[in-house]
Amino acid sequence: MPDIQLYDCDTHFTDHLPELWAEIGFSPAEAPEVVTDAGATRLRLGDRLFPRPSGQGHGNPKGLGHLIGPGEDEDRAVFMTKHNIAAAVLQPGFVGLSVQAVEDAETRLRLLDGYNQLASRSCARSALSLKWAFLASVEDPGWSEETLRQYADDENLVGVVVRPTARTAAARLNSPETSPLLETAARLRLPLFVHGGTGCYQWSPLADAFADYAMTHAFGHMGEHMIAMADLVTRPDGLPDDLRVVMLESGIAWIPSVLGRLTSHTRRLADNATSPTDIFRKHFAAVPDPDEEHVGWAIRQLGVETVLFGSDYPHWDTVEAGVWLTEFSGFCPSGQLTANTSRFIPRLVNESA
């Protein structure tokens, strides 16, 4: 067990179990369906299978079968104890990462509402220190802001999570329509988590150029986060002063160079008073992966104040805390890591103390 107590900002809710949806009144016809297709278990929403089984931008060939544990309290307790995790944030599972690809607005909003009910209930019922992030939709910003306010007093709510990109390029994080959502999140001291996922039929122009899973996985997360980061650091009306943004599973080695290029080009061509690099350093945190090359250089460029820990449990690429600490504690010692978490996700640290 690591000596350092960790706060895990990226663990995943097992949200695809049919019995969960039945508990909140979804009929079998309404609820997400788990099916077997070509030997792999997948999620069915409408007439689509998730993760996308094949073709451009397809997802994990193992479908839903790439989990290393069921994601219930029993296995989470073992994992959290082994890695000395004081508290963990439930991020969307297969349903939450896929639902925004549903084209019918009424169906999409009902699923989004159901997801948030389930995440809230799961944390309230858990014997563990589990917190959750409200699932918002950039395609439905008005509904998202109004519904978020209804959960303002939920003691286990610690953030808001969005996909980096929406179903199409028409809905963006730089849109003025998202301003009320960002302002409400900031007022409630809730960070904006940005989390992608491969094979979910989102607008993902880099990933959709490939039909090889290694390439769609590499370019899906990174490419979508490039778009989201650029949208947020160049918003015409800026970001709310107190808003914090946490990029999850984005990789970080690419961030300094892309920020530098954005800063160079906006200064020369857009007369931007505050540089994207300065905006990032004020508002953003990232979660480094010990397997990523050049990550130490990126941390030095971005600053240790931007570093947070996330395990990605129970996904196949779950990060071992000991490996993470071996790689990063020299850059970001325990006191700095806790201070970073308190700054970016204050409810996670304060409510768990």
Side-chain angles (χ1 to χ4, degrees):
M1 178 190 298
D3 295 332
I4 298 174
Q5 192 173 63
L6 295 172
Y7 293 92
D8 187 351
C9 67
D10 184 22
T11 185
H12 287 275
F13 182 27
T14 304
D15 60 9
H16 62 278
L17 304 177
E19 58 267 27
L20 292 177
W21 295 84
E23 285 183 12
I24 59 171
F26 275 67
S27 69
E30 297 174 303
E33 184 182 6
V34 177
V35 300
T36 299
D37 176 75
T41 304
R42 298 192 184 275
L43 179 72
R44 184 191 296 278
L45 296 175
D47 60 355
R48 284 175 168 171
L49 295 178
F50 297 81
R52 188 172 188 160
S54 61
Q56 306 294 100
H58 79 83
N60 195 313
K62 295 183 179 180
L64 309 189
H66 71 247
L67 301 181
I68 66 169
E72 302 291 349
D73 264 18
E74 290 78 10
D75 59 288
R76 286 189 188 279
V78 172
F79 181 81
M80 291 173 71
T81 299
K82 176 183 177 182
H83 297 283
N84 204 13
I85 293 172
V89 185
L90 289 185
Q91 300 293 351
F94 295 115
V95 178
L97 291 173
S98 303
V99 64
Q100 293 177 67
V102 174
E103 295 185 17
D104 179 70
E106 182 177 354
T107 302
R108 183 173 66 248
L109 292 179
R110 178 148 166 74
L111 288 166
L112 284 161
D113 189 55
Y115 171 88
N116 286 313
Q117 289 184 53
L118 290 175
S120 175
R121 284 160 59 104
S122 182
C123 291
R125 292 175 174 181
S126 178
L128 306 174
S129 186
L130 290 182
K131 309 300 177 181
W132 67 291
F134 173 87
L135 179 59
S137 167
V138 178
E139 195 154 351
D140 310 286
W143 174 90
S144 297
E145 193 275 335
E146 180 181 353
T147 309
L148 173 61
R149 285 189 277 110
Q150 296 172 17
Y151 284 102
D153 295 328
D154 188 314
E155 64 181 4
N156 295 311
L157 177 66
V158 299
V160 177
V161 59
V162 293
R163 292 281 315 215
T165 60
R167 182 174 55 86
T168 70
R172 302 284 287 275
L173 282 165
N174 62 1
S175 167
E177 282 75 20
T178 65
S179 295
L181 173 64
L182 301 183
E183 290 163 1
T184 295
R187 178 175 57 81
L188 296 175
R189 300 170 67 239
L190 300 172
L192 182 73
F193 294 107
V194 184
H195 198 304
T198 309
C200 295
Y201 303 89
Q202 303 294 126
W203 177 54
S204 191
L206 286 178
D208 288 346
F210 298 94
D212 177 337
Y213 177 61
M215 302 299 282
T216 63
H217 190 267
F219 284 112
H221 289 271
M222 183 179 71
E224 291 173 22
H225 272 87
M226 282 185 185
I227 293 168
M229 185 184 76
D231 279 353
L232 288 167
V233 300
T234 61
R235 279 180 56 85
D237 57 351
L239 292 172
D241 192 60
D242 293 331
L243 183 69
R244 298 294 176 259
V245 181
V246 180
M247 298 170 63
L248 298 174
E249 298 187 44
S250 61
I252 73 167
W254 59 270
I255 295 176
S257 57
V258 171
L259 277 176
R261 189 169 179 83
L262 286 173
T263 293
S264 170
H265 283 246
T266 54
R267 280 178 172 168
R268 284 188 293 159
L269 304 174
D271 192 28
N272 191 18
T274 305
S275 77
T277 299
D278 290 339
I279 293 170
F280 185 96
R281 286 177 174 155
K282 177 178 179 179
H283 292 276
F284 283 70
V287 179
D289 185 332
D291 289 335
E292 186 179 11
E293 292 190 39
H294 314 300
V295 67
W297 170 82
I299 290 173
R300 287 190 291 269
Q301 295 298 311
L302 298 173
V304 296
E305 299 83 4
T306 67
V307 173
L308 298 176
F309 169 76
S311 72
D312 198 28
Y313 186 80
H315 287 180
W316 64 274
D317 45 0
T318 291
V319 173
E320 296 281 322
V323 175
W324 194 96
L325 291 168
T326 297
E327 185 71 27
F328 300 124
S329 59
F331 295 101
C332 187
S334 59
Q336 181 69 61
L337 183 58
T338 301
N340 293 351
T341 310
S342 184
R343 175 187 168 211
F344 280 93
I345 322 173
R347 288 191 177 193
L348 178 62
V349 177
N350 297 340
E351 296 296 330
S352 306

